Amino acid sequence: MTKKITLEDHLHEAQASFDAASNPRLVEIMRSALTHIYAFVEETKLTREEWAAGIEFLTAVGQKCDDVRQEFILLSDTLGVSMLVEMLNQMPSDVATDPTVFGPFHVPGAPELAMGSSIAPEGNNGEPLVFSGTVRDAKGAPLEGARLDVWQVAPNGLYDVQDPASPPMSYRGVFETGADGTFEIHATRPVDYEIPTDGPVGKMLRSTGRHAWRPAHTHFMVSCPGYKTLITHAFDADSPHLGRDAVFGVRESLIIDMNGGRATFNVVLDSLLPGVAP
Ligand code: BEZ
Ligand code: FE
């Protein structure tokens, strides 16, 4: 009698097809991806129609991507996978500032601004807000030469790259701390906004009864030689969406008071060498 191929045999045959790859990490990733994809298909007993619908969805996600729109990142964000990758890769010490999701709206090369200047264009109609704080190491020493790359939405809830009427590089700036590690950044109070819903990810949110809101926040990427780069947000404590972020990025320690035109956001960076402040 001929031997029947089991589901397990089938998985092993597909996994073994990658074993000759010269990059062992690639072999590990492909083997593991197959283990979990096969388990998902088996567990849900995926029908042929459901499989085709999934392929159609992923095709639409790819077709929505262009130079400025990255629908796959949006999909990863809304499934919580982007945040999971950050949690694994930016694991902070007990004292360091919590990281959160990077998001698709960072633009490299933002203007380098003098400390105390504004990322908001003149004549804006937002509520003025000044962020101030100190960048320190895990032992509490202020860090000189820490760079804060800051970006946020305009008062209309759009990033400059989403708004053809916005001057480029609006609500963006890079600041460098002096010897005392302090910073002061003038901005507008960030507003709640919806992530883009005009593509297949928006359709997925609507068809599963989910919303697209992100609680008001300002993005900070803080780097300093010898320290782990921190990618994080400062969230407005008054946002009604803090408990229901569409991309699962809220961390309690990042929620700050933004009333009265001032917000204090202190930052602690971990050393690149575990357990050592350089
Ligand atoms: C953001 O905060 O800019 C963002 C994060 C994830 C998806 C969309 C936007
Ligand atoms: Fe954002």
Side-chain angles (χ1 to χ4, degrees), residues 80 164 169 195 247-248 263 268 272 275:
M169 295 293 182
I195 61 171
V247 304
F248 314 104
V268 178
L272 275 173

Side-chain angles (χ1 to χ4, degrees), residues 92-98 136-140 266-271:
S93 68
D94 286 347
V95 290
T97 302
D98 279 325
R136 299 181 191 275
D137 71 14
K139 290 183 175 162
N266 289 312
V267 173
V268 178
L269 298 184
D270 274 325
S271 163

